[in-house]
C-alpha cells in the first residue's frame, strides 16, 4: 500500500492539499447529499416504473440528473487540481466515471432510448456526495491514502482496452461504449474512496473520547512506524511531587519545621513548593521574595523564614534521592525537607504497553541523575538520559535517527519545540504545537494516541482491501459485458455501503 508524504500538511503546496479552505464544510456536504437524494427519487422512480412515465419524462429526468451531477463539483475540482499536479488520484477516476455515465445517459436520451440509463449518473453522484461528506468530516486527515498508486491508471487502461476490444470484435459502437462505461461505473471509487476517510472519521470520534487529536495526516503513518518514544521531562511520567522525608536538626524542631516551611510555600507555584505547602495550612505570610537558584524568603506570623538550597541556609544536606531544601526561622536553621517525584498511577502500565507496541521508552530530563533513576525504576524504564541542557532532546533525536531509529517525542514544555520538529512524530499537550495532542501530555496519552493511530491504519487497510477485492471481481465481469451500466452502478453503491459501514467500526486496540 502506498503511504502519504511525511511532510507536514502546512508545508505542502496548497494546490495539492485534499482539504483546504475551499473544501465544502460538513454542513455543506450534508446539504448536497440531501438535495441529491431528493432529486434522485423521481429519476429512479420514472426509470424503473414504465407505467409512471409521461411525455418527455426522459428530458425531465435528464435535467434532474444534470443538477445531481453538478453537486459533485468538489470531486471534479479536485480531479482537475490533481491532473495539474500530474497525479492520477481517486478524484480523477471518480470524475471520469460520473461524467462518462452522464454523457452515456445524455446520448441515450438524445437518440430516444433512455430506458434506465438515467439512473446511473444519479447513483454515482449520490455515492460521491456521501464521499464528499465523509471527507469533510475527516478534515485535514482526509489526505491519508491507503490505495495503490497503480489502481487509477489500471482502471483507465482496462476501460480503454475494453472499448477497443469490443469495437474490434463486435463493431457495434454502442455496445463498446456501454461496456467501457460499465467498467468505469463499477470501478468508480465509492468503496475505495470511502475506506480511508471513513476510518479516519471513526478514529477521530474515538480520539475525542480519549483526549487525542491528530493535526497532520503524516502523524498517522509515523505512529505506525516509530520504534522509540522519548519522554522529554519527568512530568510525562510523574504526577507532581510529594514530601519523602522531613529531617529536623533537633527533634524539637519537627513541628516548627513543617509549619513555617509549609506556610511560606503556599505562596509558591513550583512543584517543590506545592508539595511542601501540603505540610501545613496557610499562615499570615508577608514580604515574600523569590531568590533565583536559591529559594524563597518571607515572614510567617512575623517570623522571618527562608526555604531553599541547603548551602544558602548554611547546613549540609542529607544524602537523599530527590530535591532537598533547608529551612531557616528567625535566623536559625531548623532542618531539611526532601521532595521526590510521584509516578502517575497509569505510568507503569503505559510503559509496559509501549513495549507491547514495539517501542522503547527513553526518559530524558534536565533533573539530576539520582532523581531520574529513582522515578524510572518505579515505572520500569531502563534507558535514562539525565542532566541534559535545553537542546539535549534534539541532539538525542538526531543521534537516534542517525542510528536508523524511528523516533516519537513526547514533550511537556514550549522549550522543546526544536526537539519536536526533529522527531518523526511529535506529541504534546493540546497547546504544545505538536502533530498529535494528548489531553494530559503524559505517557498514557501518548500510548493511547499510538494505539488509536494504528487502529485507524488497520481499519483503513481492511476497508481498502475489501474494496480492492470487489474491484478485482467486478471489473473483469463488466469488461466482458456481463455487467451492464445499471447493475454496475447498483453493485458499486452496495460495495460502497458495505465498506463505509465496516470502516466506521473502529478495529484494532484503540483503548
Amino acid at each position: 500500500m502506498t503511504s502519504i508524504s511525511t511532510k507536514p500538511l502546512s508545508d505542502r503546496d496548497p494546490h495539492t492539499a485534499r482539504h483546504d479552505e475551499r473544501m465544502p464544510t460538513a454542513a455543506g456536504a450534508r446539504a448536497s447529499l440531501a438535495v441529491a437524494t431528493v432529486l434522485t427519487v423521481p429519476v429512479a422512480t420514472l426509470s424503473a416504473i414504465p407505467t409512471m412515465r409521461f411525455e418527455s419524462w426522459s428530458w425531465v429526468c435528464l435535467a434532474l440528473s444534470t443538477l445531481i451531477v453538478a453537486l459533485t463539483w468538489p470531486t471534479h475540482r479536485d480531479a482537475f487540481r490533481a491532473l495539474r499536479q500530474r497525479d492520477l488520484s481517486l478524484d480523477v477516476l471518480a470524475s471520469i466515471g460520473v461524467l462518462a455515465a452522464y454523457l452515456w445517459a445524455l446520448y441515450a436520451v438524445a437518440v430516444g432510448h433512455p430506458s434506465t440509463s438515467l439512473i446511473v449518473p444519479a447513483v454515482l453522484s449520490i455515492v460521491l456526495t456521501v464521499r464528499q461528506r465523509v471527507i469533510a468530516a475527516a478534515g485535514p486527515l482526509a489526505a491519508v491514502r491507503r490505495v495503490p498508486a497503480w489502481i487509477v491508471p489500471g482502471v483507465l487502461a482496462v476501460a480503454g482496452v475494453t472499448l477497443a476490444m469490443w469495437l474490434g470484435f463486435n463493431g457495434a459502437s454502442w455496445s463498446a461504449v456501454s461496456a467501457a462505461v460499465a467498467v468505469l461505473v463499477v470501478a468508480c471509487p465509492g468503496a475505495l474512496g470511502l475506506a480511508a476517510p471513513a476510518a479516519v472519521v471513526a478514529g477521530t470520534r474515538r480520539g475525542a473520547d480519549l483526549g487525542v487529536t491528530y493535526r497532520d495526516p503524516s502523524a498517522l503513518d509515523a505512529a505506525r512506524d516509530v520504534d522509540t518514544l522519548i519522554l522529554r521531562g519527568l512530568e510525562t511520567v510523574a504526577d507532581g511531587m510529594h514530601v519523602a522525608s522531613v529531617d529536623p536538626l533537633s527533634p524539637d524542631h519537627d513541628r516548627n519545621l513543617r509549619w513555617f516551611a509549609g506556610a511560606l510555600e503556599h505562596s509558591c507555584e513550583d512543584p517543590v513548593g506545592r508539595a511542601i505547602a501540603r505540610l501545613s495550612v496557610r499562615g499570615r505570610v508577608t514580604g515574600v521574595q523569590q531568590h533565583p537558584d536559591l529559594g524563597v524568603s518571607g515572614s510567617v506570623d512575623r517570623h522571618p523564614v527562608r526555604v531553599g538550597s541547603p548551602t544558602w541556609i548554611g547546613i549540609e544536606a542529607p544524602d537523599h534521592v530527590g530535591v532537598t531544601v533547608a529551612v531557616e526561622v528567625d535566623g536559625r536553621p531548623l532542618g531539611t525537607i526532601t521532595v521526590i517525584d510521584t509516578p502517575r498511577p497509569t505510568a507503569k502500565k503505559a510503559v509496559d504497553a509501549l513495549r507491547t507496541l514495539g517501542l522503547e521508552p527513553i526518559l530524558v530530563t534536565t533533573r539530576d541523575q539520582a532523581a531520574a533513576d529513582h522515578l524510572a525504576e518505579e515505572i520500569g524504564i531502563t534507558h535514562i538520559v539525565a542532566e541534559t541542557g535545553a537542546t539535549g532532546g534534539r541532539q538525542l533525536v538526531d543521534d537516534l535517527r542517525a542510528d536508523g531509529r524511528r523516533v516519537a517525542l513526547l514533550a511537556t514544555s514550549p522549550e522543546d519545540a526544536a526537539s519536536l520538529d526533529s522527531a518523526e512524530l511529535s506529541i504534546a499537550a493540546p497547546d504544545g504545537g505538536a502533530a498529535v495532542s494528548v489531553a494530559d501530555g503524559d505517557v498514557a496519552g501518548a500510548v493511547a494516541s499510538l494505539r488509536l493511530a494504528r487502529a485507524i491504519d488497520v481499519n483503513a487497510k481492511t476497508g481498502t482491501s475489501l474494496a480492492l477485492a470487489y474491484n478485482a471481481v467486478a471489473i473483469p465481469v463488466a469488461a466482458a459485458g456481463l455487467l451492464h451500466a445499471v447493475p454496475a452502478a447498483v453493485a458499486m453503491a452496495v460495495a460502497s455501503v458495505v465498506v463505509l459501514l465496516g470502516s466506521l467500526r473502529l478495529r484494532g486496540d484503540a483503548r
Side-chain angles (χ1 to χ4, degrees):
M1 298 295 176
T2 58
S3 298
I4 64 170
S5 167
T6 56
K7 189 177 183 181
L9 188 66
S10 58
D11 293 339
R12 298 180 191 164
D13 188 321
H15 294 291
T16 62
R18 184 61 185 84
H19 186 285
D20 58 22
E21 68 276 4
R22 291 172 290 181
M23 189 67 193
T25 62
R30 284 195 298 270
S32 295
L33 178 59
V35 172
T37 302
V38 170
L39 295 179
T40 298
V41 172
V43 176
T45 301
L46 293 172
S47 296
I49 307 176
T51 57
M52 297 191 66
R53 295 173 182 171
F54 49 86
E55 187 177 357
S56 300
W57 70 273
S58 60
W59 292 102
V60 172
C61 288
L62 180 62
L64 294 175
S65 294
T66 302
L67 294 175
I68 296 169
V69 171
L71 293 172
T72 64
W73 68 268
T75 298
H76 306 297
R77 179 208 63 205
D78 290 328
F80 177 72
R81 190 182 306 165
L83 288 174
R84 289 181 59 188
Q85 300 296 320
R86 298 180 181 179
D87 176 20
L88 287 178
S89 67
L90 290 180
D91 292 313
V92 173
L93 182 58
S95 178
I96 292 175
V98 73
L99 291 177
Y102 175 74
L103 293 174
W104 178 73
L106 176 61
Y107 178 78
V109 172
V111 299
H113 298 289
S115 184
T116 56
S117 60
L118 287 164
I119 194 62
V120 177
V123 170
L124 265 63
S125 296
I126 285 285
V127 173
L128 291 184
T129 52
V130 170
R131 179 171 173 251
Q132 289 167 195
R133 179 179 177 183
V134 174
I135 287 174
L141 300 183
V144 169
R145 295 181 181 177
R146 291 293 182 269
V147 179
W150 54 262
I151 191 68
V152 175
V155 170
L156 296 178
V158 170
V161 170
T162 299
L163 177 63
M165 292 185 64
W166 275 83
L167 285 174
F169 290 112
N170 188 296
S173 59
W174 177 250
S175 297
V177 171
S178 296
V181 169
V183 170
L184 293 173
V185 168
V186 82
C188 189
L192 274 177
L194 283 167
V200 167
V201 170
T204 52
R205 288 175 179 172
R206 178 59 177 148
D209 296 333
L210 298 173
V212 175
T213 302
Y214 303 98
R215 306 185 187 280
D216 191 320
S218 65
L220 297 178
D221 278 341
R224 177 189 61 193
D225 299 329
V226 292
D227 55 27
T228 304
L229 176 62
I230 294 178
L231 303 169
R232 188 75 165 93
L234 297 188
E235 296 84 355
T236 59
V237 293
D239 187 18
M241 308 184 83
H242 69 275
V243 173
S245 175
V246 178
D247 300 295
L249 295 178
S250 168
D252 294 340
H253 295 164
D254 184 80
R255 182 174 178 276
N256 285 339
L257 178 62
R258 294 170 182 268
W259 160 250
F260 284 106
L264 180 62
E265 291 287 3
H266 272 289
S267 61
C268 300
E269 295 297 328
D270 62 282
V272 173
R274 288 196 296 268
I276 295 175
R278 289 192 287 268
L279 292 175
S280 71
V281 297
R282 291 179 180 273
R284 291 182 298 171
V285 180
T286 58
V288 177
Q289 290 184 333
Q290 297 290 337
H291 304 272
D293 301 322
L294 296 176
V296 61
S297 64
S299 294
V300 178
D301 295 339
R302 299 183 180 180
H303 293 274
V305 179
R306 290 196 300 164
V307 178
S309 168
T311 57
W312 185 44
I313 302 301
I315 64 175
E316 183 177 351
D319 187 16
H320 292 327
V321 173
V323 177
T324 298
V325 298
V327 181
E328 176 190 272
V329 179
D330 294 330
R332 183 176 61 173
L334 298 187
T336 60
I337 299 173
T338 300
V339 177
I340 64 173
D341 296 280
T342 305
R344 291 179 183 264
T346 57
K348 182 172 176 48
K349 183 178 179 180
V351 168
D352 292 339
L354 282 174
R355 294 195 173 95
T356 301
L357 291 172
L359 281 81
E360 179 189 359
I362 301 177
L363 183 61
V364 180
T365 177
T366 57
R367 295 274 298 282
D368 63 279
Q369 188 72 49
D373 288 343
H374 177 78
L375 182 61
E377 183 179 2
E378 289 197 55
I379 59 177
I381 294 179
T382 57
H383 193 165
I384 306 102
V385 179
E387 302 178 28
T388 63
T391 61
R394 183 185 181 93
Q395 185 60 51
L396 178 60
V397 171
D398 292 341
D399 291 344
L400 289 169
R401 294 186 66 181
D403 290 338
R405 306 294 290 272
R406 296 180 296 276
V407 182
L409 187 141
L410 172 63
T412 56
S413 69
E415 290 76 16
D416 292 319
S419 300
L420 290 173
D421 291 341
S422 64
E424 276 92 352
L425 177 65
S426 58
I427 310 172
D431 57 351
V436 181
S437 68
V438 292
D440 294 329
D442 68 337
V443 63
V447 170
S449 72
L450 292 167
R451 280 176 166 168
L452 181 58
R454 295 183 181 194
I456 292 172
D457 181 64
V458 169
N459 213 19
K461 286 182 176 178
T462 301
T464 299
S465 297
L466 183 61
L468 289 172
Y470 150 77
N471 277 276
V473 173
I475 290 176
V477 174
L482 302 177
L483 189 64
H484 299 294
V486 174
V490 173
M492 185 274 296
V494 171
S496 299
V497 170
V498 171
V499 169
L500 176 63
L501 295 178
S503 295
L504 287 174
R505 291 176 55 249
L506 192 64
R507 298 178 180 84
D509 188 357
R511 295 172 295 172

